[in-house]
Amino acid sequence: MSITPYEISVPTFQRGFAVLSKLLDKAEAFAEERKIKPEVLVEARLAPDMLSLAGQVQRMSDTAKFAAARLTGTEAPSFADDEKTLADLRTRIARTTDYLASVPQDGFEGAAERMVTVKSRGGEHTSTGKEYLLTFALPNFYFHLTTAYAILRHNGVPVGKLDYLGRA
């Protein structure tokens, strides 16, 4: 069995955003039921030095769109990190999934061997597309999805493992 870089990235990211959207649905229902402002959940975090729920969604979005762009040798769209409401987060998710849907599958030809350079505060790291996808992009995406789930769960939103896994 062989899996292409497209198959292991774009559909995986799209499914993660579908799971996240359902988690946000539960968060919204929880806030309404408990008569709390949903923005409280948007700004919630697990620890003072961690990103808020909004920050987790923003990093998921950035990871997915930059992975698609880096693997296809194209430019990713730039989004401002200014989401303040659940509706804003939903818009960010929709913009990201729309972008992912627009990336042609054939653009991923040669992506496994394409050299990818990621610049960060710590410097630059260059690896093959395969290594980048498997050791950075996918783990990073799921780290932020898991953390978003944990923030909601920690704040009382009734979500469980099956909500995180999503129903195939």
Side-chain angles (χ1 to χ4, degrees):
M1 173 176 88
S2 65
I3 299 174
T4 68
Y6 173 86
E7 291 170 322
I8 200 167
S9 61
V10 172
T12 300
F13 295 143
Q14 290 169 326
R15 188 169 190 280
F17 285 118
V19 166
L20 178 61
S21 293
K22 289 185 179 186
L23 294 174
L24 294 181
D25 289 345
K26 288 199 169 201
E28 189 167 43
F30 173 81
E32 188 175 308
E33 176 186 308
R34 296 290 176 105
K35 297 184 181 4
I36 61 172
K37 292 181 179 179
E39 293 75 21
V40 170
L41 296 173
V42 173
E43 289 304 316
R45 56 188 78 226
L46 290 177
D49 64 343
M50 289 182 75
L51 293 172
S52 65
L53 176 64
Q56 303 305 326
V57 175
Q58 292 160 356
R59 297 301 76 73
M60 282 178 66
S61 169
D62 289 347
T63 299
K65 64 188 174 111
F66 289 132
R70 287 175 178 139
L71 292 170
T72 59
T74 60
E75 288 292 318
S78 178
F79 302 157
D81 292 338
D82 58 2
E83 293 80 14
K84 303 280 186 226
T85 67
L86 290 173
D88 293 342
L89 295 179
R90 290 179 201 288
T91 299
R92 175 77 175 239
I93 292 166
R95 292 177 67 202
T96 306
T97 56
D98 287 349
Y99 165 69
L100 292 172
S102 77
V103 179
Q105 190 168 346
D106 63 3
F108 285 81
E109 293 293 324
E113 297 79 30
R114 182 176 287 122
M115 298 309 291
V116 171
T117 299
V118 177
K119 297 175 186 175
S120 69
R121 284 179 249 137
E124 289 186 3
H125 178 75
T126 300
S127 60
T128 64
K130 178 180 177 181
E131 182 182 4
Y132 161 74
L133 183 58
L134 295 175
T135 65
F136 178 77
L138 288 172
N140 193 50
F141 181 81
Y142 281 110
F143 170 84
H144 292 291
L145 176 57
T146 301
T147 305
Y149 166 90
I151 288 169
L152 294 174
R153 174 80 184 208
H154 177 74
N155 281 276
V157 177
V159 294
K161 183 177 180 179
L162 292 179
D163 296 302
Y164 175 83
L165 292 175
R167 307 217 191 273

